[in-house]
Amino acid sequence: LTEIDGVSKFTIEGELDKEVRVDVDLNMLNQMAISIEDVAKILAVQNVEIPSGAIEQDGIKINVKTPGIYASIEDIENSIISISPETGVVTRLKDIADVYMDVEDGALKFKQNGDNAVLLTGYFEDGKNVVLIGKEVRETLDKVKA
């Protein structure tokens, strides 16, 4: 859109950042005698990036890190939350919670006809015919949507 003659810039508002949601079943959690804070700490510890050290040779130093383990929702769901000392039964996060992607709380949201939308704001150069530029902007947007 900024390549259209007479447009100086466009801004986009309403882009929604996604985040991982974990909805814990408190009844199941209470049966395990651990708190929701314990679950949060377990998840944080299992996904931490740990500096592992460095490799040095001929004056060149390369830092080596152990990355966090979470690369997908399934990785998070399979996090071990508890192991029974009596039976050895392993409880994973997916056993006590629903894990899914959602938009962040409090995000500014725009709707059009009930669907999520973004707000585009166009800025035009002085002395240009905004009506003609607007027509070209509409045509370009229609091509992009198609």
Side-chain angles (χ1 to χ4, degrees):
L1 294 174
T2 56
E3 294 176 7
I4 296 172
D5 185 40
V7 173
S8 61
K9 73 175 184 174
F10 263 92
T11 62
I12 301 173
E13 296 178 51
E15 291 177 291
L16 300 176
D17 292 327
K18 291 195 174 189
E19 63 186 9
V20 176
R21 294 290 178 108
V22 179
D23 290 342
V24 177
D25 182 330
L26 294 178
N27 290 329
M28 294 187 76
L29 191 64
N30 289 335
Q31 293 174 15
M32 297 176 55
I34 62 173
S35 70
I36 197 138
E37 184 178 334
D38 294 333
V39 173
K41 286 179 182 176
I42 290 167
L43 293 175
V45 167
Q46 289 189 34
N47 196 42
V48 72
E49 184 176 281
I50 303 168
S52 300
I55 300 172
E56 293 185 43
Q57 183 176 357
D58 300 327
I60 298 172
K61 181 178 178 180
I62 300 172
N63 291 325
V64 178
K65 294 183 179 181
T66 305
I69 61 167
Y70 298 142
S72 68
I73 294 291
E74 290 78 23
D75 289 344
I76 299 168
E77 289 176 325
N78 287 318
S79 295
I80 296 173
I81 299 303
S82 173
I83 300 175
S84 170
E86 295 85 26
T87 63
V89 172
V90 173
T91 302
R92 299 184 185 279
L93 185 62
K94 66 183 176 184
D95 299 327
I96 63 164
D98 290 322
V99 181
Y100 57 95
M101 294 295 291
D102 199 5
V103 295
E104 63 182 337
D105 278 341
L108 182 61
K109 299 173 188 161
F110 295 98
K111 299 279 187 185
Q112 181 176 7
N113 299 327
D115 294 326
N116 287 336
V118 294
L119 176 65
L120 296 175
T121 305
Y123 298 86
F124 304 99
E125 296 172 3
D126 290 337
K128 299 286 184 170
N129 186 330
V130 176
V131 174
L132 294 177
I133 297 169
K135 182 179 178 186
E136 190 173 347
V137 167
R138 171 57 57 200
E139 291 169 357
T140 302
L141 285 173
D142 289 343
K143 287 178 190 174
V144 170
K145 286 195 294 188

